[in-house]
Amino acid sequence: MNKRTVLAILLIFAVFFLSNKFLNPKPEATKGNEGNAKTQEVAVVSALDAAKAQATVPTQMKSPKNAKLNDNIVLQNEKIKLVFSNRGGLLVAAYLKDYSKDLDGKIPLNLLADKALSISFDQEYYLDYIFAYKLGGNTLTFFGDNFQKVFTIGEGYTADFTLNVAGKKFNYYQVSMDQGIAETEEYNGDKDNNYGAAAYVDNSLESETLSSFDDETEVLQGDATFVALYSKYFALGVRKLGFENVAKTEFFAIENNPSVSFLVQENKDKFSHNYRLYFGPILNKDLVTMGGGFEKISDKTWSYLNWLSKFFVKILNYIYKVVPNYGVAIILFAILIKLLMYPLTHKMFESTQKMQKIQPMIAEVQKKYKNDKVRLNTELRKVYKEQGVNPLGGCLPLVLQIPIFIALYPALKYSIALRQQPFFGWIQDLAAPDPYYILPVLMGVFMFVQQKLTMASAGDKSKMTDQQKAMQSSQKMMMYGMPIFLVFIFRDFPSGLVLYWTVFNLLSTVQQYFIKKKFDLK
């Protein structure tokens, strides 16, 4: 098997089989907020001061008797609608007004798999406790024995939460995102790698996908700034503000849904702790409103390639503004990337063709000096020099393309801009797989043609060395096997991602055809 074949196989495995490792890494430790997050944090604190002014901590708290059950207590703004129940003082639903679950827009998108945001004190959960409550303006207050839960809705996808305790000393309390984040897509393939939990603990972001969860609870010791649950396109988050009592964070799974919780140690009989909540899309401009580095949960690749991945998304969105069809925008984007990579791919293809053209000369040298390895290498270097061929000329361009492929993968796979966006005909959702596998098959066909154009002609096997026969055999295996293998892999990928690879392969095939014609190889 020649070096080019080996590198091609390594590239395939790097992009696909190792995608979980490369595209969903644990980000490097970061410190505090970045960019305009500090400005956002000022707004957070101001909103919480307003909430505290409406719900000050009394000396003693008692829930009025005979409180009536209400499962439809609503706080809402222009972006979200939060529905609460005074049974347990829980959040029942979190609807996103700008998104829907179905293509027709008839099914509201609720981010909660079940009731969430429970508070337990020393393992007492109050799940069946009927709270008295007060709803006024943008603030909802639940009154319990010795504590209050105060929710104040803000702007965008955020809300504030304040826990007031007075009159009783607890060892600790726990804030839990109980039943996980809902399945928001009609097609939810690869859930194990798209869903997960994240926590910012001791200035380092820890993230685990559902595939890495086991039957036991994973405990992260240390002071946690925020916890989050995420799906492919959306996130739920809880960020603490103004105190440092979080002793540990727990990751666990309930019925194949990721869940996460804070555990807070506080042994005073009177305190007030503030949090900010997030219910929204995984978009940097929205995530940053949480502050505290919350936007880092959107990172899907190596930290040093995140900027490139986000740059590709910006280019794609810019093209969409000019041509308001994301399918067409992806085609134009593929052409643009192909033009940018043209010098690299052209050099790689030309080097391959030059190597094929001098194969008879190489075979003659190998046959003549097969028993003298030192002389064989010397004569081969002489042939390469006389013919102006670099045997590694096709390898370096291939290696340089790998970071681009790795950055492109999450840019297209996880882009919420492609969600429920039609192309034409049978492609009505570029974020969902092709229902008839037409694009994956076309991609495989173009790859097969490209491989066939790359292969050298069969020639006379009687004149070939054993090494050349083995090389030809491995090339045939690649030509027939790899396209079939990739069709199988790509069949479950978002059709927008497959569309990109199909167009890119078509352009590469055309490029290879003209290079082969230039060298007049048959």
Side-chain angles (χ1 to χ4, degrees):
M1 188 177 290
N2 63 9
K3 292 181 179 179
R4 184 178 180 278
T5 301
V6 172
L7 283 171
I9 293 175
L10 290 176
L11 175 61
I12 295 300
F13 277 88
V15 175
F16 301 108
F17 283 110
L18 301 181
S19 61
N20 288 335
K21 179 180 179 181
F22 289 155
L23 305 179
N24 297 285
K26 293 182 178 180
E28 296 175 358
T30 54
K31 296 182 180 180
N33 303 335
E34 294 184 2
N36 63 349
K38 292 182 179 179
T39 303
Q40 299 290 348
E41 186 170 354
V42 174
V44 173
V45 175
S46 298
L48 284 166
D49 288 341
K52 289 171 65 178
Q54 296 185 46
T56 56
V57 183
T59 303
Q60 185 76 9
M61 301 180 188
K62 289 294 181 182
S63 175
K65 296 180 180 179
N66 301 320
K68 294 182 179 180
L69 177 64
N70 188 345
D71 289 329
N72 191 37
I73 308 170
V74 176
L75 287 176
Q76 60 183 321
N77 60 19
E78 76 286 356
K79 293 291 185 181
I80 55 176
K81 177 183 177 181
L82 305 180
V83 182
F84 297 84
S85 171
N86 66 333
R87 182 190 295 276
L90 301 178
L91 185 61
V92 176
Y95 295 104
L96 304 190
K97 296 182 178 181
D98 291 341
Y99 299 90
S100 63
K101 187 170 182 178
D102 63 326
L103 290 172
D104 297 328
K106 296 180 180 179
I107 304 177
L109 193 149
N110 175 22
L111 282 189
L112 298 185
D114 204 338
K115 296 178 181 179
L117 278 178
S118 67
I119 303 291
S120 65
F121 294 93
D122 296 344
Q123 294 297 315
E124 188 173 351
Y125 286 89
Y126 298 89
L127 296 180
D128 293 321
Y129 186 92
I130 306 300
F131 287 86
Y133 69 91
K134 178 182 178 181
L135 178 62
N138 295 328
T139 299
L140 169 64
T141 303
F142 291 109
F143 300 92
D145 293 336
N146 308 111
F147 67 93
Q148 293 177 348
K149 298 167 69 174
V150 185
F151 296 91
T152 303
I153 198 162
E155 297 181 353
Y157 297 101
T158 62
D160 298 323
F161 167 58
T162 300
L163 177 65
N164 297 319
V165 172
K168 185 176 181 179
K169 185 181 291 186
F170 301 99
N171 293 315
Y172 65 90
Y173 71 87
Q174 199 159 8
V175 183
S176 302
M177 301 292 291
D178 305 275
Q179 298 295 327
I181 190 168
E183 296 187 13
T184 58
E185 311 307 306
E186 291 186 308
Y187 172 83
N188 203 29
D190 201 22
K191 179 179 177 179
D192 283 352
N193 291 314
N194 291 334
Y195 280 60
Y200 199 58
V201 181
D202 291 337
N203 295 322
S204 178
L205 183 65
E206 300 290 337
S207 182
E208 298 287 349
T209 59
L210 193 56
S211 61
S212 63
F213 279 48
D214 53 30
D215 294 333
E216 297 182 0
T217 299
E218 180 178 354
V219 178
L220 303 177
Q221 300 289 347
D223 184 40
T225 303
F226 67 76
V227 294
L229 300 176
Y230 58 84
S231 63
K232 188 175 181 181
Y233 300 117
F234 301 99
L236 301 171
V238 183
R239 180 192 169 200
K240 70 180 182 65
L241 299 167
F243 63 97
E244 299 180 353
N245 304 72
V246 176
K248 64 180 180 179
T249 305
E250 295 181 345
F251 286 174
F252 52 98
I254 300 177
E255 296 181 356
N256 203 34
N257 275 318
S259 299
V260 69
S261 69
F262 277 126
L263 189 147
V264 183
Q265 291 180 327
E266 184 63 84
N267 59 4
K268 298 177 182 177
D269 61 0
K270 184 178 180 180
F271 63 86
S272 181
H273 286 174
N274 303 318
Y275 297 88
R276 167 146 279 199
L277 312 174
Y278 183 83
F279 314 90
I282 300 178
L283 285 171
N284 192 76
K285 66 181 182 65
D286 296 312
L287 298 172
V288 75
T289 61
M290 283 282 281
F294 190 74
E295 67 279 4
K296 293 184 180 300
I297 68 171
S298 66
D299 295 345
K300 299 294 184 180
T301 187
W302 285 336
S303 57
Y304 63 84
L305 287 178
N306 276 321
W307 69 271
L308 184 57
S309 184
K310 292 174 181 178
F311 178 66
F312 286 147
V313 172
K314 288 182 178 180
I315 294 176
L316 182 62
N317 291 335
Y318 179 79
I319 296 173
Y320 175 75
K321 290 180 181 179
V322 179
V323 184
N325 182 302
Y326 267 108
V328 176
I330 288 173
I331 292 174
L332 296 176
F333 179 70
I335 294 173
L336 175 62
I337 296 298
K338 185 63 183 176
L339 290 174
L340 292 174
M341 295 176 63
Y342 179 83
L344 292 175
T345 55
H346 191 80
K347 184 176 181 180
M348 181 178 68
F349 289 154
E350 275 199 344
S351 179
T352 301
Q353 298 302 330
K354 287 179 180 178
M355 284 293 293
Q356 289 183 20
K357 201 166 187 177
I358 65 171
Q359 281 305 307
M361 300 174 65
I362 293 175
E364 185 178 341
V365 172
Q366 289 173 333
K367 186 176 181 179
K368 185 176 181 180
Y369 300 104
K370 63 180 180 180
N371 296 321
D372 188 346
K373 297 296 183 182
V374 176
R375 183 67 184 276
L376 173 61
N377 291 330
T378 302
E379 294 299 322
L380 284 176
R381 286 196 295 269
K382 187 182 297 184
V383 171
Y384 293 144
K385 184 176 181 180
E386 291 175 351
Q387 299 300 318
V389 175
N390 182 356
L392 298 179
C395 300
L396 182 59
L398 189 66
V399 172
L400 293 176
Q401 292 178 58
I402 293 177
I404 296 176
F405 290 136
I406 293 175
L408 270 171
Y409 182 85
L412 293 173
K413 182 178 180 181
Y414 296 102
S415 175
I416 195 173
L418 301 183
R419 183 179 183 270
Q420 297 181 350
Q421 288 291 326
F423 180 25
F424 76 94
W426 75 101
I427 302 295
Q428 293 299 307
D429 185 355
L430 287 165
D434 184 335
Y436 304 113
Y437 307 132
I438 295 174
L439 286 177
V441 170
L442 283 176
M443 185 206 66
V445 169
F446 292 137
M447 175 167 278
F448 172 79
V449 174
Q450 183 184 342
Q451 292 272 4
K452 193 168 181 64
L453 287 170
T454 304
M455 275 190 64
S457 56
D460 187 352
K461 286 192 175 183
S462 64
K463 297 181 180 180
M464 292 183 181
T465 64
D466 291 339
Q467 183 181 4
Q468 288 175 320
K469 290 177 183 178
M471 183 185 301
Q472 189 177 84
S473 177
S474 66
Q475 286 178 334
K476 278 189 175 181
M477 181 186 68
M478 287 284 293
M479 183 178 70
Y480 291 103
M482 193 55 66
I484 296 174
F485 170 74
L486 289 183
V487 168
F488 178 79
I489 293 294
F490 271 81
R491 66 176 184 169
D492 292 324
F493 279 21
S495 53
L497 179 61
V498 183
L499 176 62
Y500 169 83
W501 286 106
T502 302
V503 174
F504 194 87
N505 275 337
L506 172 61
L507 296 173
S508 297
T509 301
V510 173
Q511 182 183 10
Q512 180 69 13
Y513 170 78
F514 283 106
I515 290 176
K516 193 175 184 76
K517 191 174 181 180
K518 171 184 175 182
F519 285 89
D520 194 26
L521 291 173
K522 297 181 180 179

